[in-house]
Amino acid sequence: MSDRIFGVVGLLLAIGFAVSALAIEESFLSDAVGPKAFPLIIAAVLGLSSIAIALRPDAAPHWPSLGRLAEILAAAVVMVLYAELLPVIGFVIATAFAAAYLTWRLGSGLVTSVVTGIGTSVGIYVIFHLVLGLSLARGPLGF
């Protein structure tokens, strides 16, 4: 039963995502694909996956323990905080903290997680901002 509920919730989320994507206004300077294409592809994949889950549920689903559910909730909180703090502390700092926490919770050691977080943050900054010239959120340090 829980798989069917999860599938229906995913389908409703996909529909909401598609409706939001269709509401995106296109400027006259957009490319041939436009800004709606990628969100609509994501909505379609989510919708099809949700339908498959709802129609073919697992006979005996295995739920994670309470401790594991708390870790999943903590990861979701970190991602919400990341989105909220991104414009305040900037891309590099916010991404370093989020990536370090998430890799630590996935099983890396503390030092390895910090190095991975910093490396991920700086690597993405170099590729997307310095090489490709895309705008990323600037923090109090100017990057």
Side-chain angles (χ1 to χ4, degrees), residues 51-70:
I51 290 170
I53 290 171
L55 294 179
R56 298 189 57 162
D58 190 1
H62 173 71
W63 283 88
S65 66
L66 187 59
R68 189 60 73 175
L69 283 174

Side-chain angles (χ1 to χ4, degrees), residues 20-142:
S20 296
L22 291 172
I24 296 173
E25 293 185 24
E26 296 185 38
S27 73
F28 66 93
L29 294 174
S30 66
D31 58 2
V33 176
K36 297 179 185 181
F38 186 69
L40 287 174
I41 291 170
I42 298 292
V45 170
L46 176 61
L48 292 173
S49 301
S50 297
I51 290 170
I53 290 171
L55 294 179
R56 298 189 57 162
D58 190 1
H62 173 71
W63 283 88
S65 66
L66 187 59
R68 189 60 73 175
L69 283 174
E71 286 186 22
I72 293 169
L73 179 63
V77 167
V78 165
M79 295 309 297
V80 169
L81 287 173
Y82 174 73
E84 290 294 323
L85 293 175
L86 194 60
V88 177
I89 63 175
F91 176 83
V92 174
I93 297 170
T95 303
F97 278 113
Y101 175 79
L102 294 173
T103 54
W104 174 62
R105 293 315 309 147
L106 286 171
S108 295
L110 189 57
V111 173
T112 305
S113 295
V114 170
V115 170
T116 301
I118 293 170
T120 300
S121 177
V122 170
I124 292 173
Y125 180 81
V126 166
I127 292 170
F128 284 94
H129 184 70
L130 300 179
V131 174
L132 297 175
L134 298 175
S135 177
L136 299 174
R138 290 180 182 240
L141 303 176

